[in-house]
Amino acid sequence: MSLIKMNIAVIGTGYVGLSTGVCLAEIGHQVNGIDVDEAKINELLQGSSPIYEPELEPLLQKNMKKGNLFFTTSLEIGLKDAEIIILAVGTPQHEDGSVDLSYLFGAAKDLAPHLKNKSIVVIKSTVPVGTNHQVKKLIEDHLPHPIAFDMISNPEFLRQGSAISDTLHPDRIIIGSLESSAASKVEAMYQPLHASIIHTSIESAEMIKYASNAFLATKISFINQIANLCESVGADVEDVAMGMGMDKRIGATFLQAGIGYGGSCFPKDTKALLHMAKQNGHHFSQLNETIAINDTQPLLLVKKAVNRFTDLKGKKIALLGLSFKPETDDMREAPSIKIAQKLLELGTVVTAYDPIAIDRAKQVLGNSIHYANSVWEALKDADALFLLTEWGEFKRIDVTRVTGLMKQPIIFDGRNCFDTDKIEACEKIEYYPVGKKAILKEGFY
Ligand SMILES: NC(=O)c1ccc[n+]([C@@H]2O[C@H](COP(=O)([O-])OP(=O)(O)OC[C@H]3O[C@@H](n4cnc5c(N)ncnc54)[C@H](O)[C@@H]3O)[C@@H](O)[C@H]2O)c1
């Protein structure tokens, strides 16, 4: 089957909207990216990506040059010929865990006057069950005159840090619909990806996204609890995870113990599902625990340092890694924030280095901490190193040089990032990983 070229508009050009728009252009569609953020659109029109995501910028430039990718702040211009309109605006959380749908509802109201007969509105943003129906009603209420249009729920599963690759090679595409011809058209839009497509009701599609994220978050909290227990009983969580992961029913991914999950999705989506459950009279106690474990997990690393030093006041701590995971500049809910704040509360002097996320980190942590331009600058004369994000640069680090630069070569590895053979080869080192025995070399002090 050859590609049927479609006119597509993507509303919201953040991590999801931009990756989606660029990839849909790459597979041959005509795409308009629309955003209310003028600065973002201006940057995009220059061919520059406002976010760091591997492979994104070259594909953006290539498709803009080809003329099949355009950006605008104007819904009138962006929706002019749109057959399919994808909503990818943010859905952050309220204090009580419920989802803030104001951006989505705002976009729905604003797009209504520009909607063409027989067009399809696709919700890609993560939204609670029932939202697609609410958005349909909202659009209908704001149409200048009645027209026929369809709603599709098409949740997104890309991972930041590999957004382009995930969008071009998805594990599956979920299409939730009420109407089969609209679902077929959205399936045809994705046809060049040759992905497995699953058709469901709108409600099931909305739920699949939350259930998937809650399950993955639970897997992380579970292995972190096992890690904490491993430390008490002398087992090695990496061996345990490998032994578990080779069981096909369990699978090896999301079994890396560490300082917990962060980012813009797991924290808010788990809380939103919990809220949804509560509203419907269900006590989702397991999810409650997943969240509670994750809330305390980053602080366990600080606790280890307190145990080691007794008093952290005045100690110089180097943080390596600030973003919530490698290959992204996203600082949303990064465990590094909680750790930095706790260290400051305990009177330490914090210097941090991250290959990409420093500018965004400054927006969150301001000048409460120092920022270094390199690993080596951060480590100079440090009393301890906290490894918080497993960037490739840190995995390849020369540990001997690290220990030579630090005042005291004491490492708290929150991601089990360092190679233990290299640690063992050091003459003087104290190394505290997660869920594994500490390595304390004789002759230290
Ligand atoms: N980031 C991820 O890894 C990821 C993965 C899967 C799903 N999601 C979901 O996708 C959605 C978007 O997430 P994101 O990380 O891309 O968010 P983001 O904050 O990076 O981007 C959202 C964009 O929407 C724009 N926007 C807000 N209101 C608008 C309006 N009325 N019209 C046009 N643009 C508007 C904002 O200016 C912003 O550029 C969320 O629901 C999120 O939960 C995110």
Side-chain angles (χ1 to χ4, degrees):
M1 201 163 96
S2 62
L3 169 85
I4 305 162
K5 184 167 179 156
M6 297 181 195
N7 282 306
I8 298 162
V10 183
I11 301 184
T13 59
Y15 287 88
V16 167
L18 185 57
S19 306
T20 303
V22 166
C23 290
L24 288 172
E26 173 67 13
I27 61 174
H29 296 296
Q30 187 65 43
V31 179
N32 285 342
I34 307 164
D35 206 291
V36 285
D37 185 335
E38 217 165 295
K40 205 176 253 191
I41 291 297
N42 285 337
E43 211 177 327
L44 287 164
L45 286 170
Q46 303 297 315
S48 164
S49 170
I51 51 165
Y52 174 75
E53 192 60 55
E55 302 176 65
L56 176 59
E57 205 166 77
L59 278 194
L60 168 82
Q61 290 169 356
K62 176 182 155 195
N63 285 288
M64 285 178 77
K65 216 177 251 174
K66 267 188 171 172
N68 53 2
L69 181 59
F70 176 71
F71 296 97
T72 176
T73 52
S74 158
L75 283 166
E76 190 183 350
I77 295 170
L79 298 183
K80 195 169 158 282
D81 301 308
E83 304 158 70
I84 296 183
I85 298 157
I86 299 175
L87 285 163
V89 300
T91 49
Q93 68 183 52
H94 287 301
E95 281 281 295
D96 64 356
S98 63
V99 182
D100 176 355
L101 293 168
S102 58
Y103 299 102
L104 186 77
F105 290 162
K109 274 189 225 164
D110 292 346
L111 73 82
H114 308 286
L115 207 58
K116 304 284 172 302
N117 198 31
K118 298 214 168 102
S119 50
I120 300 172
V121 177
V122 175
I123 299 190
K124 192 166 265 303
S125 302
T126 303
V127 294
V129 178
T131 306
N132 274 258
H133 292 306
Q134 282 177 281
V135 168
K136 185 166 203 303
K137 171 90 179 52
L138 202 59
I139 295 175
E140 280 165 353
D141 290 348
H142 288 80
L143 287 173
H145 42 82
I147 55 162
F149 72 97
D150 286 299
M151 292 296 301
I152 294 282
S153 168
N154 174 220
E156 180 54 58
F157 300 94
L158 65 76
R159 296 162 300 173
Q160 283 176 230
S162 53
I164 295 298
S165 165
D166 288 350
T167 308
L168 291 174
H169 311 283
D171 290 339
R172 79 300 205 190
I173 290 171
I174 306 294
I175 299 177
S177 67
L178 259 181
E179 210 283 309
S180 63
S181 69
S184 302
K185 183 152 182 175
V186 173
E187 178 167 355
M189 174 179 84
Y190 286 121
Q191 189 275 329
L193 300 178
H194 305 294
S196 302
I197 306 261
I198 299 175
H199 290 276
T200 68
S201 68
I202 286 181
E203 290 80 0
S204 298
E206 291 170 327
M207 183 57 97
I208 285 168
K209 175 64 193 175
Y210 281 105
S212 301
N213 274 3
F215 187 79
L216 293 172
T218 299
K219 226 177 154 186
I220 295 173
S221 281
F222 181 85
I223 200 65
N224 281 338
Q225 281 294 62
I226 294 288
N228 299 340
L229 188 54
C230 281
E231 285 182 18
S232 302
V233 299
D236 182 316
V237 75
E238 287 193 331
D239 291 344
V240 173
M242 188 167 67
M244 288 170 65
M246 286 177 80
D247 184 328
K248 288 191 192 70
R249 295 169 301 175
I250 297 173
T253 54
F254 284 78
L255 287 181
Q256 283 74 39
I259 48 175
Y261 57 77
S264 67
C265 293
F266 287 2
K268 88 171 164 67
D269 293 348
T270 45
K271 285 177 193 143
L273 184 55
L274 198 62
H275 190 266
M276 208 192 308
K278 228 179 250 168
Q279 273 190 321
N280 287 280
H282 294 274
H283 181 48
F284 203 155
S285 53
Q286 186 189 35
L287 192 53
N288 228 354
E289 275 309 301
T290 294
I291 296 167
I293 293 163
N294 198 65
D295 280 346
T296 51
Q297 193 67 17
L299 299 178
L300 293 184
L301 209 64
V302 181
K303 206 167 156 197
K304 281 183 191 173
V306 172
N307 286 343
R308 167 60 183 80
F309 288 98
T310 313
D311 186 3
L312 281 175
K313 197 155 187 241
K315 293 279 181 274
K316 188 172 178 252
I317 308 281
L319 304 186
L320 294 192
L322 290 167
S323 57
F324 85 93
K325 68 174 189 174
E327 300 299 334
T328 181
D329 56 354
D330 201 343
M331 283 294 295
R332 289 178 284 187
E333 303 271 347
S336 66
I337 300 170
K338 232 182 214 173
I339 290 174
Q341 285 167 343
K342 187 69 192 173
L343 288 171
L344 291 171
E345 217 179 284
L346 296 171
T348 67
V349 179
V350 177
T351 303
Y353 168 71
D354 186 286
I356 297 288
I358 290 205
D359 285 347
R360 285 190 195 259
K362 282 181 183 168
Q363 292 165 13
V364 187
L365 293 164
N367 54 11
S368 61
I369 65 168
H370 304 279
Y371 301 92
N373 291 314
S374 70
V375 172
W376 314 115
E377 192 185 321
L379 290 177
K380 198 160 180 308
D381 296 326
D383 292 291
L385 182 175
F386 276 51
L387 191 299
L388 304 185
T389 317
E390 65 278 37
W391 283 94
E393 180 181 342
F394 304 153
K395 286 185 183 165
R396 295 186 294 272
I397 220 161
D398 174 354
V399 184
T400 320
R401 189 170 167 202
V402 169
T403 59
L405 265 177
M406 294 175 71
K407 191 152 120 205
Q408 313 190 71
I410 302 177
I411 299 176
F412 299 93
D413 186 349
R415 300 291 187 183
N416 292 343
C417 178
F418 290 132
D419 180 346
T420 38
D421 287 344
K422 286 188 193 159
I423 300 285
E424 290 281 6
C426 293
E427 267 179 35
K428 280 184 170 187
I429 200 160
E430 280 188 35
Y431 177 70
Y432 299 91
V434 176
K436 295 155 71 79
K437 277 196 187 116
I439 299 174
L440 310 173
K441 296 309 287 268
E442 276 180 331
F444 193 3
Y445 292 125

